PDB file of all heavy atoms in Angstrom:
ATOM      1  N   ALA A  12     -20.735  11.555  13.430  1.00 93.00           N
ATOM      2  CA  ALA A  12     -20.649  10.261  12.754  1.00 93.00           C
ATOM      3  C   ALA A  12     -19.858   9.326  13.743  1.00 93.00           C
ATOM      4  O   ALA A  12     -18.846   9.732  14.251  1.00 93.00           O
ATOM      5  CB  ALA A  12     -19.972  10.336  11.454  1.00 93.00           C
ATOM      6  N   LEU A  23       1.737   1.423   6.497  1.00 96.00           N
ATOM      7  CA  LEU A  23       1.494   0.990   5.117  1.00 96.00           C
ATOM      8  C   LEU A  23       2.105   1.908   4.151  1.00 96.00           C
ATOM      9  O   LEU A  23       2.243   3.108   4.415  1.00 96.00           O
ATOM     10  CB  LEU A  23      -0.036   0.987   4.899  1.00 96.00           C
ATOM     11  CG  LEU A  23      -0.861   0.051   5.829  1.00 96.00           C
ATOM     12  CD1 LEU A  23      -2.278   0.134   5.485  1.00 96.00           C
ATOM     13  CD2 LEU A  23      -0.390  -1.398   5.697  1.00 96.00           C
ATOM     14  N   PRO A  26       1.759   2.987  -2.010  1.00 96.00           N
ATOM     15  CA  PRO A  26       1.118   2.057  -3.050  1.00 96.00           C
ATOM     16  C   PRO A  26       0.096   1.099  -2.360  1.00 96.00           C
ATOM     17  O   PRO A  26      -0.867   0.733  -3.024  1.00 96.00           O
ATOM     18  CB  PRO A  26       2.319   1.324  -3.665  1.00 96.00           C
ATOM     19  CG  PRO A  26       3.465   2.263  -3.496  1.00 96.00           C
ATOM     20  CD  PRO A  26       3.239   2.959  -2.161  1.00 96.00           C
ATOM     21  N   VAL A  29      -3.056   3.149  -1.729  1.00 95.00           N
ATOM     22  CA  VAL A  29      -3.753   3.424  -3.032  1.00 95.00           C
ATOM     23  C   VAL A  29      -4.367   2.193  -3.518  1.00 95.00           C
ATOM     24  O   VAL A  29      -5.506   2.219  -4.018  1.00 95.00           O
ATOM     25  CB  VAL A  29      -2.727   4.042  -4.108  1.00 95.00           C
ATOM     26  CG1 VAL A  29      -3.304   4.092  -5.427  1.00 95.00           C
ATOM     27  CG2 VAL A  29      -2.294   5.412  -3.595  1.00 95.00           C
ATOM     28  N   LEU A  35     -11.981  -0.094  -0.042  1.00 92.00           N
ATOM     29  CA  LEU A  35     -12.617   0.752   1.031  1.00 92.00           C
ATOM     30  C   LEU A  35     -13.911   1.334   0.580  1.00 92.00           C
ATOM     31  O   LEU A  35     -14.974   1.343   1.193  1.00 92.00           O
ATOM     32  CB  LEU A  35     -11.647   1.687   1.565  1.00 92.00           C
ATOM     33  CG  LEU A  35     -10.347   1.271   2.137  1.00 92.00           C
ATOM     34  CD1 LEU A  35      -9.472   2.405   2.630  1.00 92.00           C
ATOM     35  CD2 LEU A  35     -10.582   0.359   3.283  1.00 92.00           C
ATOM     36  N   ARG A  37     -15.730   0.514  -2.004  1.00 88.00           N
ATOM     37  CA  ARG A  37     -16.730  -0.546  -2.341  1.00 88.00           C
ATOM     38  C   ARG A  37     -17.398  -1.067  -1.034  1.00 88.00           C
ATOM     39  O   ARG A  37     -18.650  -1.177  -1.004  1.00 88.00           O
ATOM     40  CB  ARG A  37     -16.113  -1.703  -3.118  1.00 88.00           C
ATOM     41  CG  ARG A  37     -17.101  -2.731  -3.626  1.00 88.00           C
ATOM     42  CD  ARG A  37     -16.462  -3.768  -4.652  1.00 88.00           C
ATOM     43  NE  ARG A  37     -15.109  -4.235  -4.217  1.00 88.00           N
ATOM     44  CZ  ARG A  37     -13.986  -3.861  -4.686  1.00 88.00           C
ATOM     45  NH1 ARG A  37     -13.946  -2.943  -5.695  1.00 88.00           N
ATOM     46  NH2 ARG A  37     -12.851  -4.427  -4.270  1.00 88.00           N
ATOM     47  N   HIS A  45     -29.717  -4.346   8.077  1.00 59.00           N
ATOM     48  CA  HIS A  45     -31.053  -4.861   7.900  1.00 59.00           C
ATOM     49  C   HIS A  45     -31.649  -4.352   6.606  1.00 59.00           C
ATOM     50  O   HIS A  45     -32.770  -3.906   6.535  1.00 59.00           O
ATOM     51  CB  HIS A  45     -32.004  -4.405   9.105  1.00 59.00           C
ATOM     52  CG  HIS A  45     -31.511  -4.996  10.356  1.00 59.00           C
ATOM     53  ND1 HIS A  45     -31.541  -6.346  10.649  1.00 59.00           N
ATOM     54  CD2 HIS A  45     -30.970  -4.428  11.523  1.00 59.00           C
ATOM     55  CE1 HIS A  45     -31.030  -6.572  11.878  1.00 59.00           C
ATOM     56  NE2 HIS A  45     -30.718  -5.454  12.413  1.00 59.00           N
ATOM     57  N   SER A  52     -17.927   5.650   5.183  1.00 90.00           N
ATOM     58  CA  SER A  52     -16.736   6.014   4.518  1.00 90.00           C
ATOM     59  C   SER A  52     -15.629   5.154   5.272  1.00 90.00           C
ATOM     60  O   SER A  52     -15.818   4.672   6.433  1.00 90.00           O
ATOM     61  CB  SER A  52     -16.370   7.442   4.489  1.00 90.00           C
ATOM     62  OG  SER A  52     -15.308   7.709   3.668  1.00 90.00           O
ATOM     63  N   GLU A  54     -11.069   5.176   5.365  1.00 93.00           N
ATOM     64  CA  GLU A  54      -9.816   5.596   4.930  1.00 93.00           C
ATOM     65  C   GLU A  54      -8.686   5.297   5.857  1.00 93.00           C
ATOM     66  O   GLU A  54      -8.923   5.006   7.063  1.00 93.00           O
ATOM     67  CB  GLU A  54      -9.813   7.109   4.506  1.00 93.00           C
ATOM     68  CG  GLU A  54      -9.771   8.018   5.714  1.00 93.00           C
ATOM     69  CD  GLU A  54      -9.662   9.514   5.197  1.00 93.00           C
ATOM     70  OE1 GLU A  54     -10.003   9.782   4.068  1.00 93.00           O
ATOM     71  OE2 GLU A  54      -9.258  10.343   6.035  1.00 93.00           O
ATOM     72  N   ASP A  66     -22.500   7.678   9.317  1.00 85.00           N
ATOM     73  CA  ASP A  66     -23.403   8.744   9.643  1.00 85.00           C
ATOM     74  C   ASP A  66     -24.730   8.012  10.176  1.00 85.00           C
ATOM     75  O   ASP A  66     -25.493   7.579   9.449  1.00 85.00           O
ATOM     76  CB  ASP A  66     -23.757   9.600   8.474  1.00 85.00           C
ATOM     77  CG  ASP A  66     -24.628  10.779   8.922  1.00 85.00           C
ATOM     78  OD1 ASP A  66     -25.207  10.740  10.022  1.00 85.00           O
ATOM     79  OD2 ASP A  66     -24.857  11.705   8.080  1.00 85.00           O
ATOM     80  N   GLU A  67     -24.805   7.878  11.493  1.00 72.00           N
ATOM     81  CA  GLU A  67     -25.906   7.134  12.080  1.00 72.00           C
ATOM     82  C   GLU A  67     -27.195   8.008  12.025  1.00 72.00           C
ATOM     83  O   GLU A  67     -28.290   7.458  12.415  1.00 72.00           O
ATOM     84  CB  GLU A  67     -25.583   6.682  13.545  1.00 72.00           C
ATOM     85  CG  GLU A  67     -24.523   5.603  13.481  1.00 72.00           C
ATOM     86  CD  GLU A  67     -24.433   4.996  14.880  1.00 72.00           C
ATOM     87  OE1 GLU A  67     -24.133   5.662  15.890  1.00 72.00           O
ATOM     88  OE2 GLU A  67     -24.555   3.717  14.968  1.00 72.00           O
ATOM     89  N   SER A  73     -26.198  -2.153  12.891  1.00 57.00           N
ATOM     90  CA  SER A  73     -26.729  -3.264  13.656  1.00 57.00           C
ATOM     91  C   SER A  73     -25.628  -4.169  14.002  1.00 57.00           C
ATOM     92  O   SER A  73     -24.510  -4.056  13.476  1.00 57.00           O
ATOM     93  CB  SER A  73     -27.740  -4.043  12.873  1.00 57.00           C
ATOM     94  OG  SER A  73     -27.139  -4.686  11.729  1.00 57.00           O
ATOM     95  N   SER A  76     -24.364  -5.747  10.839  1.00 70.00           N
ATOM     96  CA  SER A  76     -23.512  -4.845   9.995  1.00 70.00           C
ATOM     97  C   SER A  76     -22.174  -4.652  10.642  1.00 70.00           C
ATOM     98  O   SER A  76     -21.171  -4.507   9.874  1.00 70.00           O
ATOM     99  CB  SER A  76     -24.249  -3.562   9.719  1.00 70.00           C
ATOM    100  OG  SER A  76     -24.497  -2.811  10.860  1.00 70.00           O
ATOM    101  N   PHE A  83     -14.704  -7.579   6.949  1.00 92.00           N
ATOM    102  CA  PHE A  83     -14.018  -6.839   5.955  1.00 92.00           C
ATOM    103  C   PHE A  83     -12.601  -6.435   6.428  1.00 92.00           C
ATOM    104  O   PHE A  83     -11.624  -6.618   5.724  1.00 92.00           O
ATOM    105  CB  PHE A  83     -14.825  -5.522   5.543  1.00 92.00           C
ATOM    106  CG  PHE A  83     -14.079  -4.572   4.762  1.00 92.00           C
ATOM    107  CD1 PHE A  83     -13.789  -4.889   3.388  1.00 92.00           C
ATOM    108  CD2 PHE A  83     -13.566  -3.385   5.267  1.00 92.00           C
ATOM    109  CE1 PHE A  83     -13.072  -3.981   2.569  1.00 92.00           C
ATOM    110  CE2 PHE A  83     -12.810  -2.486   4.487  1.00 92.00           C
ATOM    111  CZ  PHE A  83     -12.582  -2.795   3.224  1.00 92.00           C
ATOM    112  N   LEU A  87      -8.989  -7.412   4.800  1.00 95.00           N
ATOM    113  CA  LEU A  87      -7.832  -6.523   4.550  1.00 95.00           C
ATOM    114  C   LEU A  87      -6.564  -6.842   5.198  1.00 95.00           C
ATOM    115  O   LEU A  87      -5.485  -6.726   4.664  1.00 95.00           O
ATOM    116  CB  LEU A  87      -8.248  -5.076   5.111  1.00 95.00           C
ATOM    117  CG  LEU A  87      -9.045  -4.161   4.190  1.00 95.00           C
ATOM    118  CD1 LEU A  87      -9.325  -2.842   4.900  1.00 95.00           C
ATOM    119  CD2 LEU A  87      -8.446  -3.905   2.863  1.00 95.00           C
ATOM    120  N   GLY A  92      -1.242  -8.198   4.637  1.00 96.00           N
ATOM    121  CA  GLY A  92      -0.219  -8.852   5.456  1.00 96.00           C
ATOM    122  C   GLY A  92       0.096  -8.049   6.731  1.00 96.00           C
ATOM    123  O   GLY A  92       1.249  -7.976   7.098  1.00 96.00           O
ATOM    124  N   LEU A  95      -4.696  -5.769  12.009  1.00 96.00           N
ATOM    125  CA  LEU A  95      -5.526  -4.562  12.208  1.00 96.00           C
ATOM    126  C   LEU A  95      -6.465  -4.802  13.418  1.00 96.00           C
ATOM    127  O   LEU A  95      -6.928  -3.817  14.018  1.00 96.00           O
ATOM    128  CB  LEU A  95      -6.367  -4.277  10.976  1.00 96.00           C
ATOM    129  CG  LEU A  95      -5.633  -3.738   9.756  1.00 96.00           C
ATOM    130  CD1 LEU A  95      -6.475  -3.872   8.493  1.00 96.00           C
ATOM    131  CD2 LEU A  95      -5.254  -2.314   9.997  1.00 96.00           C
ATOM    132  N   LEU A 104       2.747   9.389  18.747  1.00 96.00           N
ATOM    133  CA  LEU A 104       3.315  10.176  17.675  1.00 96.00           C
ATOM    134  C   LEU A 104       4.645  10.814  18.198  1.00 96.00           C
ATOM    135  O   LEU A 104       4.543  11.677  19.136  1.00 96.00           O
ATOM    136  CB  LEU A 104       2.312  11.266  17.185  1.00 96.00           C
ATOM    137  CG  LEU A 104       2.837  12.101  15.982  1.00 96.00           C
ATOM    138  CD1 LEU A 104       3.017  11.195  14.788  1.00 96.00           C
ATOM    139  CD2 LEU A 104       1.777  13.158  15.724  1.00 96.00           C
ATOM    140  N   GLY A 127       6.233  10.574  27.757  1.00 95.00           N
ATOM    141  CA  GLY A 127       5.923  11.518  28.834  1.00 95.00           C
ATOM    142  C   GLY A 127       4.520  12.008  28.698  1.00 95.00           C
ATOM    143  O   GLY A 127       3.808  11.682  27.783  1.00 95.00           O
ATOM    144  N   THR A 130       3.683  13.443  25.383  1.00 97.00           N
ATOM    145  CA  THR A 130       3.803  12.654  24.174  1.00 97.00           C
ATOM    146  C   THR A 130       2.413  12.409  23.601  1.00 97.00           C
ATOM    147  O   THR A 130       1.491  12.010  24.289  1.00 97.00           O
ATOM    148  CB  THR A 130       4.397  11.280  24.499  1.00 97.00           C
ATOM    149  OG1 THR A 130       5.683  11.517  25.182  1.00 97.00           O
ATOM    150  CG2 THR A 130       4.645  10.414  23.271  1.00 97.00           C
ATOM    151  N   PHE A 131       2.234  12.650  22.328  1.00 97.00           N
ATOM    152  CA  PHE A 131       0.929  12.489  21.721  1.00 97.00           C
ATOM    153  C   PHE A 131       0.625  11.012  21.550  1.00 97.00           C
ATOM    154  O   PHE A 131       1.398  10.238  21.069  1.00 97.00           O
ATOM    155  CB  PHE A 131       0.907  13.176  20.338  1.00 97.00           C
ATOM    156  CG  PHE A 131       0.674  14.702  20.464  1.00 97.00           C
ATOM    157  CD1 PHE A 131       1.636  15.560  20.717  1.00 97.00           C
ATOM    158  CD2 PHE A 131      -0.651  15.185  20.388  1.00 97.00           C
ATOM    159  CE1 PHE A 131       1.419  16.889  20.968  1.00 97.00           C
ATOM    160  CE2 PHE A 131      -0.922  16.491  20.585  1.00 97.00           C
ATOM    161  CZ  PHE A 131       0.089  17.369  20.805  1.00 97.00           C
ATOM    162  N   ASP A 134      -5.608   7.573  20.863  1.00 95.00           N
ATOM    163  CA  ASP A 134      -6.609   6.900  21.611  1.00 95.00           C
ATOM    164  C   ASP A 134      -7.629   6.286  20.613  1.00 95.00           C
ATOM    165  O   ASP A 134      -8.535   7.008  20.098  1.00 95.00           O
ATOM    166  CB  ASP A 134      -7.337   7.810  22.579  1.00 95.00           C
ATOM    167  CG  ASP A 134      -8.379   7.131  23.440  1.00 95.00           C
ATOM    168  OD1 ASP A 134      -8.620   5.899  23.210  1.00 95.00           O
ATOM    169  OD2 ASP A 134      -8.932   7.785  24.324  1.00 95.00           O
ATOM    170  N   TRP A 147      -7.386  13.671  18.386  1.00 96.00           N
ATOM    171  CA  TRP A 147      -6.643  12.447  18.011  1.00 96.00           C
ATOM    172  C   TRP A 147      -5.517  12.810  17.050  1.00 96.00           C
ATOM    173  O   TRP A 147      -5.800  13.361  16.002  1.00 96.00           O
ATOM    174  CB  TRP A 147      -7.641  11.546  17.306  1.00 96.00           C
ATOM    175  CG  TRP A 147      -7.204  10.153  17.096  1.00 96.00           C
ATOM    176  CD1 TRP A 147      -7.085   9.108  17.964  1.00 96.00           C
ATOM    177  CD2 TRP A 147      -6.705   9.606  15.805  1.00 96.00           C
ATOM    178  NE1 TRP A 147      -6.599   7.997  17.345  1.00 96.00           N
ATOM    179  CE2 TRP A 147      -6.383   8.238  16.016  1.00 96.00           C
ATOM    180  CE3 TRP A 147      -6.545  10.138  14.526  1.00 96.00           C
ATOM    181  CZ2 TRP A 147      -5.956   7.473  14.955  1.00 96.00           C
ATOM    182  CZ3 TRP A 147      -6.067   9.317  13.534  1.00 96.00           C
ATOM    183  CH2 TRP A 147      -5.778   8.029  13.704  1.00 96.00           C
ATOM    184  N   SER A 152      -1.227  12.750  28.717  1.00 95.00           N
ATOM    185  CA  SER A 152      -1.747  13.137  30.046  1.00 95.00           C
ATOM    186  C   SER A 152      -3.265  13.498  30.056  1.00 95.00           C
ATOM    187  O   SER A 152      -3.894  13.636  31.007  1.00 95.00           O
ATOM    188  CB  SER A 152      -0.983  14.319  30.606  1.00 95.00           C
ATOM    189  OG  SER A 152      -1.120  15.481  29.753  1.00 95.00           O
ATOM    190  N   LYS A 165      -9.839  13.909  38.503  1.00 48.00           N
ATOM    191  CA  LYS A 165     -11.126  13.955  39.276  1.00 48.00           C
ATOM    192  C   LYS A 165     -12.052  14.890  38.652  1.00 48.00           C
ATOM    193  O   LYS A 165     -11.709  16.037  38.413  1.00 48.00           O
ATOM    194  CB  LYS A 165     -10.783  14.428  40.663  1.00 48.00           C
ATOM    195  CG  LYS A 165      -9.924  13.438  41.485  1.00 48.00           C
ATOM    196  CD  LYS A 165      -9.773  13.857  42.925  1.00 48.00           C
ATOM    197  CE  LYS A 165      -8.841  12.932  43.691  1.00 48.00           C
ATOM    198  NZ  LYS A 165      -8.568  13.409  44.994  1.00 48.00           N
ATOM    199  N   GLY A 167     -12.883  15.169  35.593  1.00 47.00           N
ATOM    200  CA  GLY A 167     -12.355  15.670  34.370  1.00 47.00           C
ATOM    201  C   GLY A 167     -11.278  16.658  34.529  1.00 47.00           C
ATOM    202  O   GLY A 167     -10.753  17.193  33.527  1.00 47.00           O
ATOM    203  N   GLN A 168     -10.682  16.860  35.753  1.00 47.00           N
ATOM    204  CA  GLN A 168      -9.612  17.822  35.973  1.00 47.00           C
ATOM    205  C   GLN A 168      -8.505  17.157  36.557  1.00 47.00           C
ATOM    206  O   GLN A 168      -8.559  16.191  37.468  1.00 47.00           O
ATOM    207  CB  GLN A 168     -10.102  18.962  36.976  1.00 47.00           C
ATOM    208  CG  GLN A 168     -11.298  19.768  36.508  1.00 47.00           C
ATOM    209  CD  GLN A 168     -10.909  20.633  35.286  1.00 47.00           C
ATOM    210  OE1 GLN A 168      -9.869  21.171  35.171  1.00 47.00           O
ATOM    211  NE2 GLN A 168     -11.794  20.628  34.373  1.00 47.00           N
TER     212      GLN A 168
END
Side-chain angles (χ1 to χ4, degrees):
L23 299 177
V29 169
L35 299 180
R37 188 171 42 257
H45 298 294
S52 192
E54 74 173 18
D66 185 348
E67 291 192 303
S73 66
S76 62
F83 170 71
L87 276 180
L95 290 163
L104 186 62
T130 305
F131 279 82
D134 181 356
W147 190 82
S152 64
K165 293 182 182 175
Q168 301 293 318

